[in-house]
Amino acid sequence: MILCGGTGTRLWPASRESMPKQFARLVDAKTSTFQASLERVADASVFAKPTVIASAEARFIVAEQCGQLGLAADIVLEPQGRDSAAAVAVAALHAAAIDPQAVVLIMAADHVVPDIQAFVDAVKTAAIGARAGYTMTLGIEPTRPASDYGYIRRGAPIPEAQGAARVEKFVEKPDRPGAEALITDGALWNSGYFLFRADLMLAELEAFVPEVLDAARAALDAAVTDLDFVRLDGEAFARAPKISIDYAVMERTARAGVLPVSFPWSDVGTWDAVWQVLDHDAEGNAVR
């Protein structure tokens, strides 16, 4: 499930309401980060056909960029942004309708992950933990004391998934000294990728934020098909409280797990982050 919300306001004017950063060719002259996300899950031997959850305003951009790659996706339209918990609830319900025990991968549309094979291998391992009943996330091995990322403290190992551990604590974006201390303690960057069994995520949502789940279920039940899009019911979806999946479930569940990964990763949230993922000349300039 590829989440396409957000407007990337910190990257104005390249990223703006009519062309959010995930659809702009900020870091690659040929593909957007959304298209790169589609390509990361294009291996049909590993992944089912992706579902994209996007704003109604972005529907034709999504369809066009899928078509440019020749890749198919189910496109679900949010009538308004209600943060990630509502989107994850829709994703879990959508997957559970096909298979209640389906393993769902939640991924953002605006991340840069150059090494596709390393990503796929990590997802396969994390999926083992998800099938065992954990809500898994990928934790990035830090390369610098970043104060613009959240962190994850690791706990006891998860025996079912090699290298994975229980999440001891999620830590909000720290200042630089705090980031340095976290890295010294072995903390990981919180990538925002989640893997879970659909039925177990629905149970967690029911336990922690039933009003989010109720609104998502009603919005999906009353959804209408418009051309190639599924439009969630606006009145029902508006009843979902605005809350992130991190606050709603991940920081409250006793079944959070993390798999450390070391592949290059960025959420390109600022111009500085864009610069970091581009090639530089001898003077440190990134030019295209």
Side-chain angles (χ1 to χ4, degrees):
M1 314 292 296
I2 302 176
L3 306 187
C4 268
T7 53
T9 52
R10 289 179 293 173
L11 291 173
W12 187 89
S15 175
R16 54 207 184 277
E17 201 168 316
S18 61
M19 181 57 75
K21 69 168 180 171
Q22 58 269 27
F23 304 120
R25 293 178 174 90
L26 280 174
V27 298
D28 188 292
K30 295 180 180 178
T31 58
S32 67
T33 54
F34 165 61
Q35 289 175 309
S37 299
L38 284 170
E39 289 176 328
R40 275 201 298 283
V41 294
D43 184 348
S45 69
V46 181
F47 302 101
K49 182 170 74 167
T51 297
V52 178
I53 301 181
S55 69
E57 292 77 15
R59 64 194 183 280
F60 294 120
I61 302 175
V62 170
E64 180 185 23
Q65 294 201 355
C66 288
Q68 288 169 350
L69 298 178
L71 295 176
D74 294 331
I75 303 172
V76 177
L77 303 179
E78 292 182 312
Q80 57 181 284
R82 304 306 294 167
D83 216 324
S84 57
V88 169
V90 169
L93 289 163
H94 180 77
I98 301 165
D99 176 7
Q101 294 197 353
V103 173
V104 182
L105 165 65
I106 299 290
M107 54 192 292
D110 57 355
H111 292 182
V112 174
V113 181
D115 192 337
I116 292 179
Q117 190 57 55
F119 174 82
V120 172
D121 291 344
V123 167
K124 284 181 177 178
T125 301
I128 297 169
R131 290 190 192 95
Y134 294 89
T135 297
M136 298 294 298
T137 186
L138 301 182
I140 311 293
E141 296 278 4
T143 56
R144 58 190 171 87
S147 57
D148 50 343
Y149 295 146
Y151 287 75
I152 298 172
R153 290 187 182 276
R154 285 177 271 192
I158 294 175
E160 294 90 344
Q162 186 174 4
R166 286 177 176 266
V167 172
E168 182 181 294
K169 187 179 181 182
F170 289 93
V171 182
E172 291 293 322
K173 297 175 183 177
D175 56 18
R176 185 180 176 88
E180 290 171 347
L182 284 162
I183 291 173
T184 299
D185 288 344
L188 305 162
W189 285 341
N190 185 359
S191 69
Y193 289 99
F194 300 108
L195 291 99
F196 50 78
R197 265 180 32 202
D199 56 346
L200 297 180
M201 176 53 72
L202 293 175
E204 299 273 51
L205 290 164
E206 183 66 61
F208 297 125
V209 283
E211 60 279 14
V212 171
L213 182 58
D214 290 345
R217 182 178 280 118
L220 202 55
D221 287 346
V224 296
T225 301
D226 173 13
L227 300 176
D228 295 328
F229 311 109
V230 175
R231 287 182 177 270
L232 298 174
D233 182 75
E235 185 178 337
F237 199 65
R239 295 198 292 270
K242 271 192 170 185
I243 183 172
S244 72
I245 191 64
D246 299 78
Y247 287 134
V249 173
M250 295 306 293
E251 294 186 5
R252 302 161 79 175
T253 180
R255 304 283 292 177
V258 60
L259 178 71
V261 296
S262 57
F263 52 71
W265 168 87
S266 174
D267 70 354
V268 287
T270 63
W271 284 114
D272 182 60
V274 173
W275 176 83
Q276 286 174 18
V277 300
L278 295 176
D279 293 329
H280 312 139
D281 64 18
E283 303 300 327
N285 298 310
V287 180
R288 196 170 74 230

